[in-house]
């Protein structure tokens, strides 16, 4: 389905909702569809619900809820997920869930990476600032996973940064003669080193470059309010399920999972696009937010994986375990690109 065809499909959904009396609006002449922005998922997103909210006299999210059933099930549309104030994120028909899981497990933590170098050379340069060096380090990792050859230079560099946060640069001094890509995020308001490597890197990388990061003990909290904890906990739970399943005598095998969370499937399928976008925009924060979305979609599903009570392991349990392992694989791969450990035990 082309963007133009999808735009017509969205307008047809609006018209059907109007004809059914669920919306009282004039059907617009045009519906904008575009690749999802930060926090989105799927192949395309549309803000049509935000556009119609005022004339409909309803909140944008409610308008989106009305329109979703008219889009789901249309030929070529695999799923529609609501995000933000009312964006409709549309996944087009593609690989079946079992095929997606098989692809992820086959590729491992390199799922979404380029198959070979693409011949491009990127030069990154940053000021003598810890956050800038950490962001440049993460950007370099993401660019390399997409096939680029990367060189990072900085105006100044403290050796303790390598030991504490695992960052490195290829050269120290003024910007090279050939114009580099300058990495200059808003500096951190306090020293993040006391947080330790993983929490410090997350604190510096999770916010967008133009946002001031928060440096505090909230990044160390072992509770649901800490996004880093949720991401690492979801990964650790997926690994625990694999161990528990082995104790019960079965292993993962991709297959149909009829009640699989669509938000999880959409997020897993969206991972390659997120990596490509993070590389193109030099924005590792996109990966961090994507990992939170994967974890939040996976956590409610993970307790349903293993047999309960006197149940014997079946094909359904093996397929559920495969989906859980795929989620853990994506989380581990994303954390690795951010330079953050993905422990099997937490």
């Amino acid at each position: 389905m082309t963007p133009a065809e999808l735009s017509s499909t969205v307008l047809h959904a609006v018209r059907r909702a109007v004809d059914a009396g669920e919306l009282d609006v004039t059907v617009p002449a045009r519906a904008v569809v575009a690749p999802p922005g930060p926090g989105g998922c799927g192949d395309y997103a549309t803000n049509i619900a935000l556009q119609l909210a005022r004339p409909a006299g309803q909140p944008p999210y409610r308008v989106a809820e009305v329109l979703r059933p008219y889009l789901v099930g249309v030929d070529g549309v695999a799923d529609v997920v609501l995000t933000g104030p009312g964006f409709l994120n549309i996944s087009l028909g593609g690989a079946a869930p079992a095929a997606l899981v098989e692809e992820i497990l086959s590729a491992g933590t390199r799922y979404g990476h380029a198959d070979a170098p693409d011949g491009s050379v990127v030069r990154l340069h940053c000021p003598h600032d810890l956050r800038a060096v950490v962001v440049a380090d993460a950007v370099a990792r993401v660019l390399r996973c997409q096939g680029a050859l990367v060189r990072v230079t900085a105006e100044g560099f403290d050796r303790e940064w390598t030991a504490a946060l695992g960052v490195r640069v290829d050269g120290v001094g003024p910007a090279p003669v050939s114009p580099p890509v300058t990495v200059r995020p808003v500096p951190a308001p306090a020293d993040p080193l006391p947080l330790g490597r993983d929490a410090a890197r997350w604190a510096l990388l999770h916010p967008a470059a133009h946002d001031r990061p928060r440096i505090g003990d909230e990044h160390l909290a072992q509770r649901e309010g800490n996004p880093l904890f949720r991401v690492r906990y979801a990964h650790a739970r997926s690994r625990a399920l694999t161990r528990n399943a082995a104790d019960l005598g079965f292993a993962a095998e991709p297959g149909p999972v009829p009640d699989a969370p669509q938000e999880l499937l959409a997020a897993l399928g969206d991972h390659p696009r997120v990596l490509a976008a993070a590389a193109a925009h030099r924005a590792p924060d996109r990966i961090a937010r994507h990992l939170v979305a994967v974890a939040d979609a996976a956590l409610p599903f993970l307790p349903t994986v293993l047999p309960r009570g006197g149940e014997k392991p079946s094909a359904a349990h093996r397929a559920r375990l495969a989906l859980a392992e795929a989620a853990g694989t994506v989380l581990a791969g994303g954390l690795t690109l951010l330079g953050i450990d993905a422990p099997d035990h937490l």
Side-chain angles (χ1 to χ4, degrees):
M1 185 181 295
T2 67
E5 291 170 337
L6 182 57
S7 177
S8 297
T9 298
V10 172
L11 290 178
H12 184 60
V14 174
R15 189 171 294 109
R16 289 173 63 196
V18 171
D19 291 344
E22 294 191 69
L23 288 178
D24 184 11
V25 296
T26 299
V27 179
R30 180 170 175 262
V32 175
V33 297
C41 60
D43 298 296
Y44 292 97
T46 177
N47 66 349
I48 189 69
L50 283 73
Q51 178 183 342
L52 297 177
R54 178 171 291 181
Q58 300 186 48
Y61 199 88
R62 174 55 189 154
V63 175
E65 288 180 323
V66 169
L67 293 177
R68 182 180 183 276
Y70 293 102
L71 288 168
V72 174
V74 171
D75 287 345
V77 174
D79 190 34
V80 179
V81 175
L82 309 187
T83 59
F87 292 102
L88 290 150
N89 296 261
I90 303 170
S91 298
L92 302 181
L100 171 63
V101 170
E102 187 171 3
E103 178 185 358
I104 294 172
L105 296 182
S106 175
T109 55
R110 289 186 56 82
Y111 169 60
H113 290 213
D115 294 329
D118 63 4
S120 63
V121 178
V122 181
R123 294 176 173 82
L124 304 174
H125 185 74
C126 53
H128 183 198
D129 172 72
L130 177 55
R131 189 187 185 200
V133 171
V134 170
V135 171
D137 178 80
V139 170
R141 292 167 184 255
V142 178
L143 285 167
R144 290 181 184 121
C145 93
Q146 295 299 296
L149 177 65
V150 187
R151 178 176 173 80
V152 181
T153 57
E155 293 174 10
F157 186 80
D158 296 348
R159 290 186 178 179
E160 67 172 338
W161 294 351
T162 297
L165 299 184
V167 294
R168 65 180 180 86
V169 296
D170 301 302
V172 178
V177 175
S178 56
V181 175
T182 301
V183 178
R184 194 182 296 273
V186 174
D191 182 8
L193 294 183
L195 295 175
R197 172 172 173 162
D198 292 333
R201 288 187 69 107
W202 181 269
L204 298 175
L205 293 172
H206 181 256
H210 57 267
D211 291 331
R212 185 175 298 277
R214 293 182 299 171
I215 307 298
D217 291 344
E218 66 269 20
H219 299 293
L220 300 173
Q222 303 290 296
R223 56 174 182 261
E224 290 185 359
N226 177 4
L228 175 59
F229 171 74
R230 298 203 303 276
V231 170
R232 300 176 87 191
Y233 179 67
H235 169 263
R237 285 290 298 128
S238 73
R239 300 301 300 148
L241 289 171
T242 299
R243 296 191 298 269
N244 295 338
D247 291 339
L248 295 172
F250 75 100
E253 184 178 327
V257 183
D259 56 347
Q262 292 302 310
E263 293 84 355
L264 177 58
L265 294 174
L268 296 179
D270 206 32
H271 188 64
R273 184 194 66 80
V274 172
L275 296 188
H281 296 280
R282 319 297 191 240
D285 56 284
R286 296 190 178 205
I287 297 176
R289 291 194 296 273
H290 175 64
L291 295 181
V292 175
V294 172
D296 288 347
L299 283 170
F301 169 74
L302 298 181
T304 71
V305 170
L306 297 179
R308 297 182 180 182
E311 278 187 303
K312 294 186 179 298
S314 65
H317 294 112
R318 292 192 290 271
R320 285 175 174 274
L321 180 60
L323 177 54
E325 288 186 357
T329 298
V330 167
L331 293 172
L335 286 171
T336 299
L337 288 175
L338 297 179
I340 296 172
D341 185 38
D344 288 351
H345 303 269
L346 194 62

